[in-house]
Amino acid sequence: MNRLPEKSAATNPHNALISVIIVNWNGKKWLKRCLDTLLAQTHSNTEIILVDNGSADDSVEYIKTNYPSIKLVLSKTNLGFAGGNNLGYKHAHGEYILLLNNDTYVEPEFLEKFVAAYAEIPRLGSVQCKLVLMYDQKHLDVAGSYWTSSSFLYHYGYGKDATDKRYNQKMPFFSNKGAAMLLRRDIIEELGLFDDDFWCYYEETDLCHRLWVAGYECWYYPNATAYHAMGGTSLLFPNDFIQFHNFKNKLLSFLKNFQLRTLITVIPLYLLVNFLLSILWLIKGKPKHALALYKSIWWNAKHFKATLKKRQHIQSMRLSSDKQIFAQVKRNPSFSYYTKLFNGTLAEYEDRI
């Protein structure tokens, strides 16, 4: 497992075609600022693909009328973030693929600075830019996420001071955030993009995990900045619906991507934490949330045979062991991190790494 991919031999990123994929569902209010800043980029060799996931507002007519140069891909049903990006990718021609949320806008040199990461970092599989909160630009969205012994991700830099030097240096993470994530086409062709079964939530972490397994790396690259409203679309869904997909997808990702000796420790702990969390939600009067956890486990049980096929394919491409991956991107925060995570006060946690 020591044979790793060579450094990119792809087209010079400074001259490459970048395909920007934006998935939209009833998000017309975000589109103008997002698209106007993309059309004003100093890196001019771009194509913008907007996938509309069956919007009920007039997003489609707005794009047709005001942005005729943008490639509009229509889905009659809501394919979710995973399926929407996968559909958009089928229409993309760029050597580099940028996945960008509709509730973002970017600086004029964003693409030019962002794609430069591939000329700097060997074995780079995916990269996240610096994400700053749109309505509170003194603070970050998040820099990236580490794996932890608890099976919950450690969201490093969440809500922290955007000028802090800790969050203004490039560094590897277990997972990038899909709100502004750049990938190479040749790697996507090798490993695939998102798993359609994910629909929404944890799909970018699953993809990053597959990249690490295959010997690539996922980095945070603060030289490029995007501004993110956070939850622009997800706020339209019931929270118990979100929790179902979140926990369903985590378990599915673990079963596909971890080596057996890791699963033996991760799965029992994960199920125990879910059980305790369901009790907590019941105490708080949220029975739908508690039920969503058990529905997520049942979904995985019903689809276990299909998951095994995915697992066999992913493990056949393994070049890095879990131990090697953890050595780079596993960090354990203090216990207070988890209390703040569940209390919704995570921005108050002090990063010590």
Side-chain angles (χ1 to χ4, degrees), residues 81-193:
F81 186 76
N85 275 294
N86 288 344
L87 177 59
Y89 178 70
K90 293 177 182 178
H91 297 266
H93 300 94
E95 293 105 316
Y96 295 88
I97 309 296
L98 172 64
L99 310 181
L100 189 69
N101 278 17
N102 60 356
D103 61 336
T104 62
Y105 72 88
V106 296
E107 297 179 338
E109 296 181 348
F110 173 75
L111 291 177
E112 181 180 344
K113 291 179 177 179
F114 202 8
V115 76
Y118 280 91
E120 295 181 24
I121 305 171
R123 296 192 297 275
L124 184 59
S126 72
V127 59
Q128 176 197 311
C129 68
K130 182 178 180 179
L131 279 171
V132 175
L133 297 178
M134 186 182 293
Y135 298 120
D136 180 10
Q137 296 185 5
K138 293 181 179 180
H139 295 95
L140 291 176
D141 176 338
V142 69
S145 300
Y146 290 112
W147 178 253
T148 73
S149 297
S150 70
S151 81
F152 282 85
L153 297 179
Y154 171 16
H155 302 301
Y156 186 73
Y158 180 88
K160 302 302 188 294
D161 181 355
T163 65
D164 191 310
K165 64 180 181 181
R166 289 175 292 179
Y167 313 117
N168 285 279
Q169 55 185 325
K170 58 187 179 183
M171 62 189 95
F173 282 101
F174 181 69
S175 176
N176 297 138
K177 185 164 185 174
M181 184 176 181
L182 187 65
L183 303 113
R184 274 183 16 210
R185 166 179 286 278
D186 60 324
I187 298 176
I188 296 174
E189 290 296 310
E190 177 188 353
L191 303 180
L193 191 53

Side-chain angles (χ1 to χ4, degrees), residues 286-323:
K286 296 182 177 181
K288 289 184 178 180
H289 288 66
L291 183 59
L293 294 179
Y294 293 102
K295 284 182 177 179
S296 74
I297 296 171
W298 177 239
W299 186 98
N300 276 280
K302 289 194 300 182
H303 294 82
F304 188 66
K305 186 175 180 180
T307 299
L308 282 181
K309 291 183 178 179
K310 295 177 183 179
R311 174 180 174 80
Q312 289 171 356
H313 175 66
I314 292 167
Q315 299 304 318
S316 71
M317 297 187 293
R318 181 177 289 277
L319 293 179
S320 295
S321 69
D322 291 346
K323 183 178 181 180

Side-chain angles (χ1 to χ4, degrees), residues 224-238:
T225 301
Y227 300 88
H228 186 210
M230 285 188 67
T233 296
S234 63
L235 293 176
L236 302 176
F237 296 108

